Amino acid sequence: AAGMAGGSDHAHEELIDPFGRVIEDLRISITDRCNFRCTYCMPEEGMQWLPRSEVMTFEEIERLARIFVQRYGVRGIRLTGGEPTVRAHLPVLVEKLAAIDGPSGPVDLAMTTNGATMRLVAQTLRDAGLRRVNISLDTLDRAKFHRMTRRDELVRVLDGIEAAKDAGFDPVKVNAVIERGVNDDEIVALADYGRRTGVEVRFIEFMPLDADGHWMNDKVVGQDEIVEAIHAVYPLEQLPARGAAPADRFRYLDGTGTIGVIPTVTKPFCGDCDRVRLTAEGQFRTCLFATKEFDLMSAMRAGESDDELAARIEAAVATKWAGHRINQVNFVRPGKSMSQIGG
């Protein structure tokens, strides 16, 4: 699956899947733990957390990241969880990863967070080399926020978004999962919030990864409906497509910024997908909805070389499928919830 390709100063291999897609984006879940209990992500009673010995160490994460970036030219790494900021000594890991140079320069290091602790850690993470941050915010209503996250933390999250801006993150993106009958009445309010604060709000279609298994197609508010609701108040125009990026982006005609929509369900972007994932326990997944995982952590702990690990990675990428088939009769729901896979 790997062919030679020219790099800036030395040739590197590319990870190419059976459909000719070049893998350039790696998501790394660094913990399964979270300080929230969002309804679409984990069950109310919470989760049985992994024992710490079963979670990859910083050295193991760095080793795999180095293989992906230096050997295969992966350009972007995004840290996810659980909630990545609950992992102890996170800036130490950020510094290790930010120092990895690939064929096209330093890796683009980003993080997705619930924002609740950003006031405490934003500047430290920025100084350690984190480049971009996405903060989850599904509602601007305090009572609804409490219902959706099972935590009364809206004020801290809003302050966390400001803290990210204060620390110099640019752009700061805000992710909002829209669920019919829950927060679909706030689409324009969330757009308005983005216009006022200068953050790019990204509306995400509700995916079948909620832990309680309540997902049904009629709870999905599709991209067209989201865009129409905003366009009626603040006229929009679609921006040119950005290759493998999952969000379709739209610009306000009056010049006050942009929004993104991630249409995983109604308009899957699988055909351009360039991403793969590592779970907190070192399992490699070629799709968020994959039903098979490849155990890299056991291989590392058994003493395998980088070449042997690379062979496992290539074999796994050779199984990457054409798409997730959410709306097809043969869609198989993954055996894990979002919190266990990594956002």
Side-chain angles (χ1 to χ4, degrees):
M4 296 306 288
S8 55
D9 44 2
H10 63 285
H12 69 283
E13 298 174 77
E14 287 184 327
L15 274 176
I16 302 176
D17 77 7
F19 300 91
R21 297 170 295 199
V22 178
I23 305 304
E24 295 198 319
D25 184 4
L26 173 65
R27 311 267 151 151
I28 306 177
S29 168
I30 60 171
T31 178
D32 63 325
R33 294 167 194 249
C34 189
N35 43 10
F36 284 10
R37 298 287 180 274
C38 296
T39 51
Y40 55 77
C41 184
M42 61 170 80
E44 190 158 7
E45 64 281 5
M47 310 280 295
Q48 190 64 49
W49 305 131
L50 290 166
R52 285 196 161 74
S53 62
E54 289 178 29
V55 174
M56 284 194 292
T57 65
F58 285 178
E59 290 70 26
E60 287 167 334
I61 293 170
E62 182 190 10
R63 183 179 176 198
L64 290 177
R66 204 170 276 286
I67 293 173
F68 279 99
V69 175
Q70 293 183 337
R71 186 179 292 232
Y72 295 120
V74 162
R75 294 166 184 269
I77 291 179
R78 177 171 292 277
L79 301 179
T80 69
E83 168 50 46
T85 62
V86 304
R87 177 87 189 239
H89 313 298
L90 176 58
V92 175
L93 176 64
V94 167
E95 206 166 308
K96 287 177 186 290
L97 298 179
I100 302 175
D101 280 335
S104 54
V107 69
D108 181 23
L109 188 61
M111 179 178 77
T112 299
T113 172
N114 62 31
T117 61
M118 281 306 275
R119 180 57 70 187
L120 305 174
V121 300
Q123 192 63 57
T124 317
L125 292 172
R126 179 92 183 143
D127 294 345
L130 188 67
R131 288 198 183 183
R132 294 182 296 115
V133 65
N134 289 41
I135 297 176
S136 300
L137 176 69
D138 302 321
T139 176
L140 296 162
D141 175 297
R142 185 171 167 184
K144 195 186 291 185
F145 186 97
H146 197 180
R147 280 200 305 279
M148 291 181 80
T149 65
R150 307 188 183 104
R151 296 290 184 270
D152 185 16
E153 297 277 13
L154 176 61
V155 173
R156 276 178 60 193
V157 172
L158 291 172
D159 183 53
I161 293 168
E162 291 306 310
K165 286 162 54 185
D166 293 345
F169 287 106
D170 184 34
V172 174
K173 294 180 182 172
V174 167
N175 292 347
V177 174
I178 304 299
E179 189 178 343
R180 192 175 309 286
V182 178
N183 63 344
D184 54 330
D185 57 339
E186 288 192 78
I187 292 169
V188 174
L190 285 161
D192 201 47
Y193 167 78
R195 288 167 59 87
R196 282 198 324 274
T197 56
V199 300
E200 179 175 310
V201 179
R202 290 150 60 94
F203 296 91
I204 302 174
E205 293 181 352
F206 181 44
M207 291 178 279
L209 285 169
D210 58 314
D212 295 332
H214 294 153
W215 184 86
M216 292 187 320
N217 221 317
D218 60 8
K219 288 193 176 179
V220 175
V221 182
Q223 171 171 301
D224 292 346
E225 194 177 333
I226 290 167
V227 171
E228 278 162 24
I230 298 167
H231 181 70
V233 185
Y234 302 115
L236 291 163
E237 69 172 0
Q238 186 159 359
L239 290 165
R242 291 185 308 165
D248 284 330
R249 296 176 74 236
F250 301 81
R251 173 182 95 79
Y252 291 114
L253 292 184
D254 65 3
T256 20
T258 53
I259 62 161
V261 184
I262 299 181
T264 317
V265 180
T266 64
K267 299 179 185 178
F269 38 89
C270 304
D272 294 318
C273 179
D274 67 345
R275 64 188 47 183
V276 290
R277 297 167 182 273
L278 285 168
T279 71
E281 68 266 55
Q283 304 291 313
F284 183 55
R285 301 173 71 93
T286 60
C287 172
L288 182 54
F289 297 93
T291 48
K292 184 171 175 20
E293 295 183 328
F294 299 83
D295 186 355
L296 298 182
M297 186 161 80
S298 296
M300 279 192 291
R301 292 187 179 179
E304 289 197 8
S305 68
D306 283 5
D307 286 346
E308 288 170 309
L309 291 171
R312 287 181 185 273
I313 289 165
E314 289 178 28
V317 168
T319 71
K320 190 167 163 73
W321 50 21
H324 55 57
R325 308 184 72 85
I326 285 178
N327 287 312
Q328 314 292 319
V329 289
N330 58 354
F331 173 67
V332 178
R333 192 188 169 99
K336 293 187 170 183
S337 68
M338 193 75 173
S339 63
Q340 293 167 304
I341 300 169

